[in-house]
Amino acid sequence: MKRVVLVAIMAVSVVYGCSKSSGDTMPAPDPTLSVGVVTQVEGNMGTTNFEFVVTLSSATTKPVTITYSVEEGSAKAVEDFVAIADQNLVIQPGETSKKINVSVVADDIKEPDETFVFTITKAVNAKAPSTGVIGTIINDDTKIAFSNAGYDAPNAYPGYTLAWSDEFNGSGLNMANWSFQNGNGCPNLCGWGNNELETYAENNLFLQDGKMIIEARREGSSYTSAKIISSGKKKFKFGRIDIRAKLPKGKGIWPALWMMPESSVYGGWPRSGEIDIMELLGHEPNKTYGTLHYGPGPGSTQINKSFVLPSGDFSSEFHVFSLDWKQDQIQWLVDGNVFGTASKANFGSTNYPFNEQFYFIINLAVGGQWPGNPDATTTFPQWMIVDYVRVYQ
Ligand SMILES: [Ca+2]
Ligand SMILES: [Ca+2]
Ligand SMILES: [Ca+2]
């Protein structure tokens, strides 16, 4: 009890002493600096000015010198904004705010919203904020960035004429050729029979620069992508088929260019066959597969061929995936090189269902039994970019 009384007396004495001396000699405390956050759209050409306003809590009679920096958050210096290192600025006596411009690099390529950090690292005659403020660059674009580099097929073959092609040159998918297959396969075939995770939707597909692009997205804990089929619109039996595409990659990413029977004359899957022109498992981005599924079922008998790129992977540039499909024989090619052959002669007594009409399917699956599910290493969005589908007969 006695000790408490003593402390109380000392406290009174300190307060009294302080108030007395401030009237005589103590200077006014330094004003406080604050900076407003800036959130703005990126813009499409040149640079966009992001204006940060630095404010003093009150004017002073002395110049205030601040040192500030602008550094990377998720946005990258040079590529996304112009970084600033330890720049000085003087706020003159009587002034209470200053504007500081940060240049953001504008373009027309879709990116996530990105951030950079504006920090006052030092202040003379004012108190600097203890943390930086965020500049947020809001995406205002829909285009994706890619180059047309890579293998391109010849546009004629001796003895063949072009029977049909889709060059994907329009502003939207040509619905005379294709139909969307949307959803997740439920209730009849949830996960499309493979425990796939994606839900297919039309807005995951768009055309740009003469290419058809399927975008697989992570949306919260689920995934969206797109699938198109030519059933009822374009069907073929035999010919040289060329599909030029640039493929996505990453664990759980599963792009496919394939064909299913237009009329299942031998019965339901797999009896009437399935022709997989190209499949890729995103954790092996340098390897593609060509497969036939057939047999009496349930389950399928398979002929499965694969091709490994000598260098690089299928996401770095375009390649051409082809079928050379004749009576009683199918060959798979990458960039004009045969890597697999299946012949009726090898089927023995098993029914050979590949001398019939088949339609095209193009899809980008996420997850499923064969590729496994995406993991922490998988980045989204992923794109399958298709330049053309050509059929010569
Ligand atoms: Ca832009
Ligand atoms: Ca952009
Ligand atoms: Ca094209």
Side-chain angles (χ1 to χ4, degrees):
M1 178 68 81
K2 280 179 181 164
R3 192 177 293 169
V4 172
V5 170
L6 181 63
V7 168
I9 289 165
M10 285 175 67
V12 167
S13 138
V14 167
V15 167
Y16 175 76
C18 183
S19 99
K20 186 175 179 232
S21 65
S22 78
D24 300 338
T25 56
M26 281 277 286
D30 283 344
T32 303
L33 286 159
S34 61
V35 185
V37 301
V38 178
T39 299
Q40 230 174 286
V41 296
E42 178 196 67
N44 297 326
M45 272 176 62
T47 57
T48 300
N49 186 36
F50 278 45
E51 187 180 271
F52 287 81
V53 179
V54 177
T55 305
L56 273 178
S57 57
S58 60
T60 76
T61 54
K62 289 182 286 188
V64 171
T65 302
I66 67 169
T67 306
Y68 62 94
S69 292
V70 177
E71 295 168 319
E72 293 184 347
S74 58
K76 297 281 166 264
V78 182
E79 187 180 318
D80 297 312
F81 70 101
V82 179
I84 298 172
D86 294 329
Q87 191 81 29
N88 289 328
L89 177 82
V90 178
I91 303 175
Q92 298 297 345
E95 289 182 335
T96 54
S97 78
K98 277 285 197 211
K99 291 168 180 169
I100 296 173
N101 294 328
V102 176
S103 286
V104 163
V105 179
D107 61 39
D108 63 354
I109 300 302
K110 180 166 76 174
E111 294 162 285
D113 294 346
E114 294 176 320
T115 58
F116 57 87
V117 185
F118 180 106
T119 309
I120 296 179
T121 54
K122 207 175 100 186
V124 177
N125 296 329
K127 209 185 308 169
S130 54
T131 59
V133 299
I134 301 295
T136 302
I137 309 168
I138 303 289
N139 174 65
D140 55 359
D141 301 307
T142 56
K143 287 180 69 167
I144 66 164
F146 63 87
S147 130
N148 190 42
Y151 183 83
D152 201 354
N155 48 23
Y157 293 94
Y160 286 86
T161 56
L162 185 67
W164 170 77
S165 75
D166 194 328
E167 302 288 327
F168 301 113
N169 285 334
S171 57
L173 191 65
N174 184 346
M175 301 311 286
N177 294 336
W178 304 101
S179 304
F180 284 97
Q181 201 164 53
N182 296 329
N184 57 6
C186 292
N188 297 325
L189 199 61
C190 285
W192 303 104
N194 299 305
N195 287 333
E196 295 166 34
L197 302 176
E198 79 286 345
T199 298
Y200 291 126
E202 295 181 16
N203 76 8
N204 290 68
L205 183 150
F206 54 96
L207 270 65
Q208 179 195 318
D209 303 325
K211 310 288 191 287
M212 188 272 288
I213 299 164
I214 294 178
E215 180 174 86
R217 303 176 194 140
R218 178 167 22 220
E219 310 205 20
S221 58
S222 57
Y223 302 92
T224 59
S225 185
K227 177 182 186 180
I228 57 171
I229 63 176
S230 72
S231 181
K233 297 179 176 176
K234 300 293 168 186
K235 60 183 177 180
F236 302 93
K237 182 170 88 173
F238 309 146
R240 167 68 179 233
I241 295 165
D242 286 341
I243 305 178
R244 185 170 190 256
K246 189 168 175 166
L247 304 178
K249 67 176 173 181
K251 176 70 178 159
I253 299 295
W254 183 12
L257 308 168
W258 51 303
M259 304 184 87
M260 285 290 280
E262 184 70 41
S263 308
S264 293
V265 295
Y266 301 99
W269 190 89
R271 285 171 283 167
S272 294
E274 171 186 327
I275 304 170
D276 299 329
I277 303 168
M278 185 291 302
E279 291 181 277
L280 174 138
L281 306 178
H283 64 279
E284 297 175 327
N286 63 344
K287 184 177 186 180
T288 56
Y289 295 89
T291 307
L292 297 183
H293 294 267
Y294 56 97
S300 75
T301 309
Q302 297 177 24
I303 292 174
N304 184 241
K305 307 290 183 180
S306 62
F307 175 87
V308 175
L309 272 180
S311 67
D313 68 52
F314 285 99
S315 71
S316 49
E317 57 179 26
F318 280 89
H319 293 274
V320 175
F321 306 95
S322 306
L323 274 194
D324 189 351
W325 180 18
K326 299 182 168 89
Q327 177 85 33
D328 299 335
Q329 181 183 287
I330 288 177
Q331 291 191 303
W332 290 268
L333 305 89
V334 170
D335 298 343
N337 302 306
V338 175
F339 68 90
T341 302
S343 300
K344 186 180 180 183
N346 308 130
F347 276 58
S349 60
T350 307
N351 191 45
Y352 182 87
F354 302 106
N355 291 332
E356 302 293 335
Q357 301 276 356
F358 280 69
Y359 64 86
F360 287 105
I361 305 177
I362 301 177
N363 72 295
L364 172 48
V366 179
Q369 277 136 6
W370 196 21
N373 290 343
D375 63 21
T377 66
T378 315
T379 61
F380 287 89
Q382 285 291 322
W383 298 287
M384 173 158 63
I385 306 174
V386 182
D387 189 2
Y388 51 72
V389 180
R390 295 173 181 161
V391 181
Y392 301 87
Q393 291 180 323

